[in-house]
Amino acid sequence: MLDEKGNLFIIEAILAITILLMAVFVVNTVISIPSPDYSYETHDLKSAQDIMEILSGKINFTDQTFLGEISAILKENKNSKKSIREVSDICKNKFDSFKLTNYKFCENNKLKGKVLASKGNYDNADKVTVATRTYRDYSYTLYVW
């Protein structure tokens, strides 16, 4: 009995392709390629760069930034002790809203490194991230650990 229409050949070809696909699927599941991890440590919104980006971004629809707001307070009051205390309170409240556990926020230019807000022991700090932003005559540095 000859297969004149080639039905047997088509069935054999489909069977061979099925076996080949099953073999590829088995090999694919056995060999697992790990997904690339770019960092072995988890970092949430606690890096100094992230926080400074938020502080230098617009607060509301008046084009006012947080750094602009505290700089204006300092400049209007000619860097008086009262204005430094007011800015320190504003900064502490702002950093508390970010739920930062260890940080130090300084002004480096006009106030010559005055610490405006801090929390935690900087001397025992490990893995400190640092970011600096300048707003007009004032230069602010944030340390987060």
Side-chain angles (χ1 to χ4, degrees), residues 44-46 51 91-103 119 144-145:
D44 46 6
L45 186 69
K46 300 295 190 266
I51 299 296
C91 291
K92 287 176 186 174
N93 291 335
K94 187 66 156 181
F95 292 127
D96 286 344
S97 72
F98 292 136
K99 296 183 173 72
L100 294 175
T101 55
N102 297 307
Y103 63 88
K119 189 175 185 182
V144 177
W145 65 94

Side-chain angles (χ1 to χ4, degrees), residues 48-115:
Q49 291 292 339
D50 294 337
I51 299 296
M52 282 300 259
E53 284 299 316
I54 293 170
L55 296 179
S56 60
K58 307 256 188 313
I59 297 174
N60 50 29
F61 298 111
T62 62
D63 291 339
Q64 181 73 359
T65 65
F66 179 79
L67 296 180
E69 179 184 339
I70 63 174
S71 297
I73 293 170
L74 291 170
K75 186 173 184 172
E76 288 171 5
N77 296 305
K78 298 180 181 162
N79 303 326
S80 67
K81 290 183 180 183
K82 180 183 175 189
S83 65
I84 293 172
R85 277 193 303 270
E86 181 182 350
V87 166
S88 292
D89 290 339
I90 293 170
C91 291
K92 287 176 186 174
N93 291 335
K94 187 66 156 181
F95 292 127
D96 286 344
S97 72
F98 292 136
K99 296 183 173 72
L100 294 175
T101 55
N102 297 307
Y103 63 88
K104 183 167 83 169
F105 185 66
C106 308
E107 198 291 319
N108 303 314
N109 192 26
K110 291 286 190 176
L111 302 179
K112 311 241 187 292
K114 175 79 174 163
V115 177

